[in-house]
Amino acid sequence: MNKATPNWEEERETLIFQRERNREQFHCVLQWLDLLEEGTNLAPYLKDHRCRRVAIYGAARIGEMLLKEIRQYEQWEVEPVYFLDQSGKWLREKWGIPVYLPEEFPDLPEVDMVIVTAISYFASVRDQLFLLRPEIPVVSLNTMIEVRKDEVWYEKR
């Protein structure tokens, strides 16, 4: 096939993946807003898991939102130590904390947990980070939100 001729099937698959990724992210943010409307946040999850120092995987908009929420509640006593992101190739700091490539994870300071905000890629990110540092738990932001929503529901009963 001529290189100038677009591969419509590949383009279609890419668009479908992007649409699904956007849908997942939108759903995650809506669930997070529901939590905030209920008057709660992610602090109990981090406290229950004894997290004092966290890394955030994903330095895009949702990662920024998580960073802002953590910083907003100083009483959480949780320190966002660094971002892990593919943009670490060209971006070494964002919103006041360092950005590193995932491959650099073995050489980075100790954290209690990595929170993955790139939820569409969670399984592959978890597997990659586990191979690099199996002692550090990797959790999806989506999972944290779902657990908190369940806890809030049970508290209201």
Side-chain angles (χ1 to χ4, degrees), residues 17-148:
F17 176 78
Q18 288 173 345
R19 182 186 69 201
E20 182 61 21
R21 184 185 67 204
N22 290 341
R23 188 196 66 74
E24 287 175 355
Q25 290 174 340
F26 182 71
H27 178 75
C28 179
V29 170
L30 283 179
Q31 296 299 311
W32 196 355
L33 288 173
D34 285 347
L35 263 185
L36 296 173
E37 285 179 350
E38 293 287 339
T40 190
N41 51 44
L42 299 172
Y45 184 96
L46 295 170
K47 185 176 180 181
D48 290 347
H49 290 83
R50 295 181 177 92
C51 292
R52 295 283 194 182
R53 296 168 50 84
V54 298
I56 300 172
Y57 188 103
R61 185 69 176 113
I62 295 177
E64 176 192 15
M65 290 169 53
L66 178 60
L67 177 65
K68 284 180 178 180
E69 182 167 331
I70 291 170
R71 285 180 169 168
Q72 180 178 357
Y73 299 100
E74 289 180 10
Q75 70 271 23
W76 289 13
E77 298 176 357
V78 175
E79 177 190 3
V81 182
Y82 48 82
F83 281 109
L84 293 168
D85 196 284
Q86 294 300 328
S87 68
K89 294 174 193 170
W90 59 86
L91 180 70
R92 296 313 276 180
E93 183 179 305
K94 197 166 188 180
W95 300 297
I97 66 171
V99 179
Y100 297 104
L101 288 166
E103 307 77 83
E104 297 176 282
F105 190 43
D107 301 321
L108 297 177
E110 188 74 25
V111 292
D112 300 314
M113 178 183 287
V114 176
I115 303 168
V116 179
T117 63
I119 58 176
S120 298
Y121 302 101
F122 175 69
S124 61
V125 168
R126 179 199 57 219
D127 294 348
Q128 176 190 21
L129 297 181
F130 179 79
L131 290 174
L132 298 172
R133 288 180 83 172
E135 75 281 7
I136 298 178
V138 178
V139 66
S140 167
L141 175 63
N142 206 35
T143 298
M144 292 175 64
I145 292 167
E146 288 173 4
V147 168
R148 282 298 299 138

Side-chain angles (χ1 to χ4, degrees), residues 4-20:
T5 305
N7 183 335
W8 298 113
E9 191 59 34
E10 281 181 24
E11 234 178 90
R12 180 179 173 277
E13 291 300 316
T14 299
L15 289 172
I16 289 170
F17 176 78
Q18 288 173 345
R19 182 186 69 201
E20 182 61 21

